[in-house]
Amino acid sequence: MDAILQVENLTTSFLTSNGEVQAVRGVSFSVGKGEILGIVGESGSGKSVTSMSILRLLADTARIKDGSILFEGEDLTKVSKKKLREIRGNKISMIFQDPMSSLNPLIPVGKQVSEMIKIHHPKMGKEERKAQVMELFAKVRIPEPEKRYHSFPHEFSGGMRQRVMIAMALANKPELLIADEPTTALDVTIQDQILRQLRELDKEYGASIIFITHDLGVVAELCDRVLVMYGGLIMEEARIEDIFERPGHPYTMGLLHSIPDVEQEKSERLEPIPGSPPDMTNPPAGCPFAPRCSYARKVCAGSLPDFVEVGEGHRTRCFLQYEDAPADEHNPFRGGNR
Ligand code: SF4
């Protein structure tokens, strides 16, 4: 699959009063044309900073310290601010968790979407833009688009506001859509509808999607491939079916144990991963997951494991996957208990 986005060795830090927070530490991945890539991890894993780095939507205290982000042959870490403005909302769009923070409360939603079209198509007439907004509202299943065009954001439910954001993100038919936890604040039914809609729209528009979430269950419903992030690093990358059938990293296994199984008649006890994420002002020299990993050995604290290919398009960063790792009952990848 041809790549639409190629991220190489992305390294992003924040300067704080407590020191430098090394939020993303040398992350490399690509997104294929029309592909839906999930990036999953707990809060502080670096997943959102990775996505914000792509469009340089970072706080003033943040710096992209190293790496490149190639989109259509241009390195987005180096293009001018003007060029970046042309790309944002046009070729690459974003949807955030809280639509209220992205919508102007004083302007009717239809007008806001129309303005987004106008920015990138200044010669398009008002009526044509309005017709496009109606079409978009119908596509994202906003009922009575004509009437709702004139509604204000506060007159919409959370789910409906998120549909407006999706309409706005799709207004200029982007090639890449970055959705950062867009369904986290919504109830499960609405979340399900939005995910289904994103899938349908992805098929119709042929756009690629990067979907950021802390929930592997959501990834299962939507994505083709997934990156699992922890401590500012990619810990595992795989096709969606491989992550669920053959997880290759103890952290991924922990995330899987914390997904509710809706098909189970009796609800099984969920097992949150004990412990907390590392302090990224002083990240550990070894595997960042070691303090929380029930399989950790002495070697894990000493140095960072390299990636090991464990299948086609499936790589993972764990010493227990090394060829010379001991095959004993404590190695879940060499016959031990999972
Ligand atoms: Fe656990 Fe060690 Fe593997 Fe890290 S490298 S995930 S600490 S077993």
Side-chain angles (χ1 to χ4, degrees), residues 24-321:
V24 178
R25 301 190 287 156
V27 159
S28 301
F29 63 93
S30 62
V31 186
K33 276 196 179 137
E35 181 184 42
I36 307 185
L37 175 75
I39 305 185
V40 70
E42 293 167 295
S43 162
S45 61
K47 60 188 191 307
S48 287
V49 179
T50 299
S51 71
M52 298 296 241
S53 299
I54 294 171
L55 282 176
R56 299 196 344 230
L57 290 170
L58 296 158
D60 291 345
T61 53
R63 295 282 173 278
I64 296 178
K65 297 186 74 179
D66 201 358
S68 59
I69 300 171
L70 288 182
F71 176 75
E72 294 188 333
E74 291 198 88
D75 185 352
L76 299 184
T77 66
K78 297 200 168 74
V79 297
S80 66
K81 287 192 175 157
K82 182 171 176 279
K83 178 79 190 173
L84 208 55
R85 272 198 300 276
E86 281 168 27
I87 292 172
R88 279 186 203 143
N90 189 21
K91 294 191 167 188
I92 305 179
S93 284
M94 273 200 89
I95 310 172
F96 298 96
Q97 182 178 339
D98 176 15
M100 252 337 221
S101 64
S102 310
L103 289 168
N104 186 328
L106 304 174
I107 300 177
V109 290
K111 190 163 182 221
Q112 295 192 50
V113 180
S114 172
E115 287 298 314
M116 174 57 86
I117 299 172
K118 190 177 172 186
I119 293 171
H120 297 289
H121 299 91
K123 289 191 183 139
M124 192 185 285
K126 199 173 163 187
E127 286 312 308
E128 193 183 343
R129 286 202 315 266
K130 187 170 178 185
Q132 282 204 6
V133 176
M134 296 299 162
E135 203 181 304
L136 281 163
F137 277 8
K139 280 218 163 86
V140 298
R141 306 221 181 95
I142 292 175
E144 303 180 90
E146 179 81 40
K147 193 170 146 202
R148 299 307 250 163
Y149 183 97
H150 302 285
S151 301
F152 289 89
H154 72 268
E155 296 174 284
F156 280 66
S157 65
M160 279 297 156
R161 280 198 286 267
Q162 201 52 289
R163 282 168 207 257
V164 173
M165 288 312 301
I166 295 172
M168 196 180 287
L170 293 173
N172 294 305
K173 299 192 173 64
E175 283 153 55
L176 176 64
L177 182 65
I178 302 172
D180 190 353
E181 305 254 14
T183 57
T184 302
L186 306 174
D187 74 49
V188 181
T189 319
I190 307 292
Q191 172 172 297
D192 213 46
Q193 289 169 6
I194 301 259
L195 291 180
R196 223 173 310 135
Q197 218 160 53
L198 275 174
R199 239 291 169 225
E200 282 168 19
L201 293 167
D202 169 68
K203 272 205 192 112
E204 186 176 338
Y205 285 80
S208 309
I209 300 179
I210 297 178
F211 194 91
I212 315 289
T213 179
H214 62 277
D215 185 347
L216 259 180
V218 168
V219 165
E221 283 186 50
L222 184 72
C223 301
D224 302 309
R225 208 157 53 86
V226 63
L227 309 178
V228 179
M229 286 193 71
Y230 189 82
L233 301 165
I234 293 173
M235 303 310 267
E236 184 165 12
E237 173 176 358
R239 291 183 304 214
I240 202 71
E241 57 273 23
D242 293 334
I243 278 283
F244 283 85
E245 282 166 25
R246 288 176 291 282
H249 195 281
Y251 178 57
T252 312
M253 285 157 55
L255 289 178
L256 286 168
H257 286 139
S258 58
I259 304 176
D261 186 347
V262 286
E263 281 168 15
Q264 287 273 349
E265 278 185 20
K266 267 205 292 173
S267 66
E268 273 195 11
R269 207 175 139 76
L270 298 180
E271 297 170 37
I273 305 170
S276 38
D279 170 8
M280 298 310 288
T281 57
N282 186 20
C287 172
F289 189 54
R292 301 172 74 187
C293 179
S294 48
Y295 304 105
R297 301 169 186 221
K298 213 170 166 191
V299 60
C300 303
S303 62
L304 193 61
D306 290 326
F307 275 118
V308 179
E309 300 286 332
V310 292
E312 197 191 331
H314 190 173
R315 58 179 183 149
T316 178
R317 207 188 258 281
C318 174
F319 286 120
L320 297 186
Q321 291 279 17

